[in-house]
Amino acid sequence: MSPPSVGVQGVPAANRPAPRRSRGRLFDVLLNLPGGLITSTLILFTLALLLYLSLRVNDGQLLGSAFTFANLTQAVADPLTRTVLLRSIMLSAIVTVVTVVLAYPVAYFLAFHAGKYRHGLLFMISLPFWTSYLLRVFAWKIVLAWNGVLNSTLMGLGLTDAPLAGLLNTPTAVVITLAHAYAAFAVLPLYICLHGLARNLLEAAADLGAKPHQCFFKVILPLSMPGVMAAALVVFVPTVGDYVTPALVGGPASSMIGTLIQAQFGKANDWTAGAALAVVSMLAIAVVVLATRALVNRWVLPR
Amino acid sequence: MTARVSTVPKQPRKGRWLALYVLLYLVFLYLPTLLIPVFSFNDSIAPVFPLKGFTLQWYASLFDNPRLAEAALNSVMVAAIAAAIATLVGSLIAYADVRRGSPLANAISLLARLPILLPGVVLGIALLVGVNLVGPGPSLGAIVVGHVCFCLPTAVVVMRSRFAAFPRSLEEAAMDLGANEWTTLRRIALPLALPGLVSSFMLAFITSFDEFIVAFFLVGTEPTLPIYIWSQLRFPRQLPSVMALGSLILLVSVLLAGLAEMIRRRGLKPPPKSQ
């Protein structure tokens, strides 16, 4: 197949390997072309554009006419932004922990005990993921409202005399709703990781006399940390910037960074400031994620 | 050996407690959302228990609503076009990634799945700036572009697992018998991946059909269905109609997702009597 063999037996240069190879290269180029174009324009270019916009002076033109760091420094210095960004990260961190902790036993069951029900259960758990996020959040609004399902049920059962006020429009409502909405996101990576654990390691632990709880805490849990981290990542990152949930069930006291960004692109109409907010929050998210990963790698992962 | 294996993580009692937990988890997962169809048949404006009585009036109210019909049509069009493009491009990306495996193909595949890890607001504003700079500005076309981006991870994930599910040797056999790369892709890989293509299209379709936040930033004067619902949420009197509409949307999503799962699983069964 290699080029030196060409013409060895007096075969004319126009033999197979060379043209096929170049056709293969053309094939690869054309195969990568649509995906390359779409990802580089829709994802890379627009994200770069956002970064660029955050560095421009807002003078009424779409992309501004001069560079400045003022948007970014303002975004970092503004106490409101700092409060809201910190709150977003705290709430999302709580949501992430709650979601992953609640999902872990489900993934464990699916990986080790579900047997013939595994595929059915996996489908049941991922089905809500394919239904409208807006409607799932809206459902919690009905449940938690002052004159809503939970209060009317509690009163109907005679458990309370007056509606409980502290349900809707609180940070707790945001946490519950987000934890519910992102449940499927956490179960699947955990399940994939637990399912892929080498069974012979677990057998070895049992053979060497590990009790079931030791087997879990010393073998399964540490080995499943990559799955835990993957699950945490796919829950944490999107929830920090969530807009729908704080808007529908959060009330004014629990607005999150997505709310502020939307306001800059909506009512306030200050796109450069909005872009700067987005850039600052993505950086903050990246710092939290990398710091958490470093901590987990240092303290939790087995050597 | 067999006796030992059975002692490992399969304690029946522990499994039973876990099964109970999983059951409760499923109730938690489904109960709030199921309230929407329940109240859509309730003869009262307020969504509270006890239920007042059965009615179909909220469903009837959906029919003489031209703005709703327009929004529904917009959503179907946007979802069909975006899902078709995302599936087409996504399957090429997945094929290049799984079968050709060049660093470039891997990078493109990774990039295509990045939107999973972006907050919707960030994706929305990035695309909004983009379509204002080069594209049509906020419009249905802009939403199609945004949804191609939003559905691409779905398509790539589904097609990657599909291409990885059948042995490479089938394509190698075709190549050995003289088929070039094009023929192999067209006659071997794509037909084998057909169930994946169909299920990827359906899943991308519902992803776009249900998508709110990206469309919220890119919408011009013509709303999609989720945008229409959002605009109605401010009016308490509209709540029951919204729940009737929501129930229909949930039904569409569940049916399509179920169908996609059936097609995907049928496609994964080994072909009868070969190998």
Side-chain angles (χ1 to χ4, degrees), chain A residues 36-267:
Chain A
L37 270 179
I38 294 245
T39 50
S40 57
T41 54
L42 295 190
I43 299 168
L44 272 189
F45 174 70
T46 54
L47 287 179
L49 204 57
L50 202 60
L51 183 62
Y52 180 79
L53 188 65
S54 72
L55 295 169
R56 301 294 284 181
V57 177
N58 181 9
D59 56 2
Q61 286 169 277
L62 178 58
L63 287 184
S65 54
F67 277 104
T68 175
F69 280 106
N71 302 315
L72 287 171
T73 50
Q74 234 160 44
V76 178
D78 180 21
L80 174 71
T81 311
R82 258 193 274 176
T83 315
V84 173
L85 185 57
L86 212 61
R87 181 195 294 146
S88 308
I89 289 174
M90 289 301 292
L91 285 181
S92 290
I94 299 172
V95 168
T96 307
V97 172
V98 170
T99 315
V100 173
V101 168
L102 287 181
Y104 197 97
V106 179
Y108 185 91
F109 181 82
L110 282 170
F112 296 118
H113 296 280
K116 61 179 175 175
Y117 301 112
R118 178 178 293 146
H119 291 289
L121 278 173
L122 262 176
F123 175 67
M124 292 271 292
I125 283 162
S126 52
L127 184 59
F129 174 81
W130 300 113
T131 60
S132 164
Y133 178 64
L134 184 60
L135 289 172
R136 277 179 287 144
V137 175
F138 170 69
W140 278 102
K141 194 182 164 80
I142 315 175
V143 172
L144 298 173
W146 188 75
N147 54 355
V149 171
L150 198 58
N151 271 330
S152 67
T153 310
L154 286 177
M155 285 165 66
L157 294 173
L159 292 174
T160 53
D161 298 328
L164 305 172
L167 296 174
L168 195 65
N169 298 338
T170 58
T172 316
V174 174
V175 170
I176 295 175
T177 308
L178 283 176
H180 178 256
Y182 281 83
F185 276 81
V187 174
L188 295 181
L190 283 171
Y191 162 72
I192 291 167
C193 180
L194 284 169
H195 189 61
L197 285 190
R199 301 290 154 129
N200 53 3
L201 284 176
L202 311 184
E203 284 161 22
D207 282 354
L208 295 171
K211 302 223 169 61
H213 69 273
Q214 287 174 318
C215 186
F216 177 76
F217 285 106
K218 300 221 154 155
V219 181
I220 297 180
L221 191 60
L223 282 176
S224 66
M225 276 323 274
V228 171
M229 292 309 288
L233 190 70
V234 290
V235 175
F236 180 73
V237 179
T239 48
V240 174
D242 193 77
Y243 173 79
V244 173
T245 297
L248 281 184
V249 303
S254 37
S255 62
M256 286 165 69
I257 196 70
T259 323
L260 287 192
I261 297 174
Q262 195 279 329
Q264 296 297 340
F265 279 81
K267 269 186 217 131

Side-chain angles (χ1 to χ4, degrees), chain A residues 23 28 102 124 147 180 237, chain B residues 21 29-30 48 100 117 180:
Chain A
R23 255 169 101 181
D28 275 331
L102 287 181
M124 292 271 292
N147 54 355
H180 178 256
V237 179
Chain B
Y21 175 80
L29 218 52
Y30 279 85
V48 289
R100 313 291 294 181
L117 274 185
N180 62 24

Side-chain angles (χ1 to χ4, degrees), chain B residues 54-65:
Chain B
F54 181 84
T55 179
L56 288 175
Q57 69 177 103
W58 311 122
Y59 286 91
S61 75
L62 297 178
F63 283 98
D64 49 344
N65 185 340

Side-chain angles (χ1 to χ4, degrees), chain B residues 74-75 77-78 136-145 218-224:
Chain B
N74 289 341
S75 270
M77 261 171 21
V78 167
S139 60
L140 277 188
I143 299 181
V144 170
V145 171
L218 298 176
V219 71
T221 49
E222 300 162 289
T224 58

Side-chain angles (χ1 to χ4, degrees), chain B residues 27-43:
Chain B
V27 171
F28 165 71
L29 218 52
Y30 279 85
L31 196 59
T33 320
L34 279 178
L35 290 172
I36 294 179
V38 167
F39 284 119
S40 73
F41 294 109
N42 186 28
D43 194 4

Side-chain angles (χ1 to χ4, degrees), chain B residues 220-243:
Chain B
T221 49
E222 300 162 289
T224 58
L225 220 36
I227 304 281
Y228 173 82
I229 291 182
W230 180 260
S231 72
Q232 297 300 302
L233 287 181
R234 273 173 295 158
F235 311 115
R237 294 187 57 81
Q238 295 298 325
L239 225 52
S241 313
V242 166
M243 286 193 273

